[in-house]
Amino acid sequence: EAGVAQSPRYKIIEKRQSVAFWCNPISGHATLYWYQQILGQGPKLLIQFQNNGVVDDSQLPKDRFSAERLKGVDSTLKIQPAKLEDSAVYLCASSFGLRSSEAFFGQGTRLTVV
Amino acid sequence: GQQLNQSPQSMFIQEGEDVSMNCTSSSIFNTWLWYKQDPGEGPVLLIALYKAGELTSNGRLTAQFGITRKDSFLNISASIPSDVGIYFCAGRSDSNYQLIWGAGTKLIIKP
């Protein structure tokens, strides 16, 4: 079974530039999560989708972050414009159901904003 | 808001030693999860606990869901080099779909 695919693995951008990350969840998984993980901390949920609908985006900085999952499968997360404090690993995860504990994570995208 | 305190922050152990780490919450959780994260990888689920008092094993790993529903423990017996990494606890209450994560315990094996 293929795992959660994310790209790119690494990205370096200058502050005020924009960046986009892509995630393809495990086939059949209805729930998709985007997490931000700052070095030395646990993952922080940014947004959670159930199919193509948003379940929770309470911690998403909506002035600069946006995410979509138009067809209920793959998803993109965008930051525009980026700030220095956005430097982190962005993890995508998916699970079968909304309350499933069996969430599988991708390898993440390491973003460095300079 | 809900908070998780995970301790210790890091551990230096000898190969073969047993390891214990724990998480405490400011509120009641109905699910406790333990993950391990290797460098450059996403977290991988080790053990899931769904009932107060539950004790669950996965090989050399054993985790317990505290009776008060505000804490959980993870034990690793006879540690080996591949156990190094960062261990995270995460909890969920019935009132919220969101997982609350601890800050992690970094396990280092002394040469």
Side-chain angles (χ1 to χ4, degrees), chain A residues 9 33 35 37 40-43 45 48 55-56 58-59 91 98-108 110, chain B residues 9 30-31 33 35 37 40-45 48 50 88 92-104:
Chain A
R9 284 298 309 276
Y33 314 77
Y35 284 90
Q37 187 175 26
Q41 298 181 17
L45 181 69
Q48 180 177 344
V55 173
D56 185 348
S58 57
Q59 297 193 92
L91 293 163
L98 190 62
R99 298 183 65 81
S100 173
S101 298
E102 297 283 346
F104 295 86
F105 284 80
Q107 290 181 301
R110 180 176 294 279
Chain B
Q9 193 172 31
N30 291 316
T31 300
L33 307 171
Y35 285 86
Q37 187 173 28
E41 302 291 333
V44 174
L45 182 67
Y50 301 103
F88 289 99
R92 179 190 286 128
S93 66
D94 263 355
S95 61
N96 196 329
Y97 295 122
Q98 191 179 127
L99 274 179
I100 308 298
W101 291 73

Side-chain angles (χ1 to χ4, degrees), chain B:
Chain B
Q2 293 174 319
Q3 289 187 337
L4 272 187
N5 292 312
Q6 186 171 351
S7 66
Q9 193 172 31
S10 60
M11 300 182 73
F12 292 81
I13 59 167
Q14 300 275 8
E15 183 177 348
E17 285 185 351
D18 296 343
V19 172
S20 291
M21 60 191 79
N22 69 84
C23 274
T24 57
S25 167
S26 58
S27 54
I28 289 173
F29 285 152
N30 291 316
T31 300
W32 280 99
L33 307 171
W34 285 93
Y35 285 86
K36 181 181 181 233
Q37 187 173 28
D38 291 325
E41 302 291 333
V44 174
L45 182 67
L46 298 174
I47 293 179
L49 302 161
Y50 301 103
K51 190 176 175 182
E54 181 180 355
L55 187 72
T56 297
S57 293
N58 178 4
R60 293 177 297 104
L61 277 61
T62 302
Q64 185 160 24
F65 193 140
I67 291 291
T68 66
R69 295 162 67 193
K70 289 187 175 183
D71 57 7
S72 181
F73 306 87
L74 176 69
N75 296 314
I76 305 173
S77 62
S79 57
I80 60 177
S82 61
D83 290 336
V84 300
I86 303 177
Y87 292 79
F88 289 99
C89 62
R92 179 190 286 128
S93 66
D94 263 355
S95 61
N96 196 329
Y97 295 122
Q98 191 179 127
L99 274 179
I100 308 298
W101 291 73
T105 294
K106 188 171 186 178
L107 188 62
I108 301 161
I109 293 187
K110 292 185 248 184

Side-chain angles (χ1 to χ4, degrees), chain A residues 4-111:
Chain A
V4 176
Q6 285 189 251
S7 67
R9 284 298 309 276
Y10 306 94
K11 190 75 177 178
I12 301 174
I13 62 171
E14 295 183 349
K15 59 184 179 183
R16 291 187 290 273
Q17 284 188 324
S18 62
V19 64
F21 313 126
W22 174 82
C23 172
N24 193 332
I26 292 172
S27 177
H29 280 192
T31 307
L32 185 147
Y33 314 77
W34 282 103
Y35 284 90
Q36 180 193 60
Q37 187 175 26
I38 291 171
L39 188 65
Q41 298 181 17
K44 174 185 132 182
L45 181 69
L46 293 176
I47 189 166
Q48 180 177 344
F49 291 95
Q50 177 71 3
N51 297 309
N52 61 350
V54 175
V55 173
D56 185 348
D57 63 357
S58 57
Q59 297 193 92
L60 187 75
K62 298 180 185 63
D63 57 333
R64 298 184 300 107
F65 286 64
S66 64
E68 59 183 16
R69 193 185 184 200
L70 292 175
K71 295 182 180 178
V73 181
D74 54 353
S75 175
T76 55
L77 175 70
K78 295 179 183 177
I79 307 175
Q80 182 180 12
K83 293 185 176 181
L84 295 177
E85 59 261 35
D86 297 332
S87 294
V89 175
Y90 291 84
L91 293 163
C92 179
S94 70
S95 64
F96 184 75
L98 190 62
R99 298 183 65 81
S100 173
S101 298
E102 297 283 346
F104 295 86
F105 284 80
Q107 290 181 301
T109 296
R110 180 176 294 279
L111 174 68

